[in-house]
Amino acid sequence: MNPGKLTNKIRHYRFMIGELTQQELADRVGVTRQTIIALEAGRYAPSLLLAFQLARTFGVGVEELFQYEAEDKA
Amino acid sequence: MSMTMQQKVAWYELAVTGATLVMVGGLWPLLGRGAMGGFGLLGFLGFSPLFLTRARRRGEVTWDEHEQQIFTRAFQFAFPIFWLFLTAACLGPFYLKHMRGTISIHVLPAILLGSILVLNLAKAIAILVQYRLEARGESRQAD
């Protein structure tokens, strides 16, 4: 079964709230800069906890920050 | 881009295991069994935790879920290689001796140390390759 596709707007919101650098965002949520890079590149799917921490940092809901596209069954 | 603690440790372990391979392989034609002393370089692997200590003193984030995923995948790659090597190294002497005779006591440390070397070498390479593959997306997402 294809798990679908997860995308995010981390980079968009990062610039929206004052042009945070990747390192600054990483420091705020307690991860490494490489993790933020991997997230923005779509190469890493965060845990639920990290997703909520990121959304809380930006002041948005999780579903505003992360989008899930289920695979079409047709 | 600055490296994570895990990357630094992986490079360090790659250097130590690589140097050990070169030392043992290079000295074997000259010293024979005496070249096994080169495995002593593997003792430097014990200094790996110093990277963690220094990073924590600087207040860096040293470990997160993403680092854990990379480590887990690297170990999933390295362990089968280590296991195959260990199995082959243990059974090889029996087949070479045609199930007769005795096996030199020197074979035992060679198997143990060789297995440690293979495990750390494979793990280090797997970690660095994963970071390298992720870095390909970095240039398009840089600050």
Side-chain angles (χ1 to χ4, degrees):
Chain A
M1 186 180 83
N2 194 314
K5 188 180 175 185
L6 184 70
T7 57
N8 65 73
K9 296 180 180 175
I10 294 174
R11 185 174 173 80
H12 166 75
Y13 280 108
R14 186 160 60 80
F15 283 102
M16 279 270 290
I17 64 166
E19 298 195 9
L20 276 182
T21 63
Q22 290 170 331
Q23 185 62 61
E24 287 170 341
L25 177 59
D27 291 340
R28 285 198 187 189
V29 296
V31 298
T32 64
R33 183 177 168 232
Q34 269 81 357
T35 300
I36 300 299
I37 291 169
L39 282 167
E40 291 185 353
R43 293 179 180 272
Y44 176 66
S47 67
L48 198 59
L49 179 62
L50 180 56
F52 271 98
Q53 286 173 332
L54 286 164
R56 183 70 60 89
T57 299
F58 296 129
V60 299
V62 172
E63 293 211 53
E64 287 180 73
L65 189 58
F66 293 94
Q67 295 78 44
Y68 171 69
E69 296 173 18
E71 182 71 5
D72 287 335
K73 292 182 180 177
Chain B
M1 188 183 74
S2 61
M3 289 190 282
T4 62
M5 186 264 309
Q6 186 168 218
Q7 271 180 296
K8 292 175 186 174
V9 171
W11 276 113
Y12 177 73
E13 291 182 344
L14 185 65
V16 170
T17 51
T20 303
L21 263 177
V22 169
M23 176 75 79
V24 174
L27 288 176
W28 198 276
L30 301 171
L31 303 176
R33 207 182 297 152
M36 280 192 39
F39 278 117
L41 285 175
L42 288 178
F44 282 104
L45 291 175
F47 288 111
S48 298
L50 286 178
F51 287 97
L52 174 65
T53 305
R54 292 179 64 188
R56 282 188 175 168
R57 280 192 191 146
R58 288 193 296 264
E60 292 177 16
V61 174
T62 55
W63 201 258
D64 61 17
E65 57 185 59
H66 180 235
E67 300 293 293
Q68 180 65 49
Q69 184 188 68
I70 288 176
F71 177 83
T72 300
R73 285 178 178 171
F75 198 77
Q76 285 171 337
F77 170 78
F79 189 81
I81 295 174
F82 152 80
W83 193 254
L84 283 172
F85 175 87
L86 181 64
T87 305
C90 288
L91 295 177
F94 285 101
Y95 286 102
L96 288 173
K97 289 279 188 175
H98 304 288
M99 308 298 281
R100 292 192 297 269
T102 57
I103 297 171
S104 169
I105 191 71
H106 299 283
V107 170
L108 196 60
I111 291 173
L112 177 65
L113 295 168
S115 300
I116 292 171
L117 186 149
V118 164
L119 178 64
N120 282 281
L121 183 63
K123 182 169 66 71
I125 290 172
I127 288 172
L128 293 173
V129 165
Q130 287 184 79
Y131 279 112
R132 182 69 185 151
L133 290 174
E134 285 192 352
R136 286 185 184 172
E138 175 193 340
S139 59
R140 295 189 290 270
Q141 297 285 341
D143 281 339

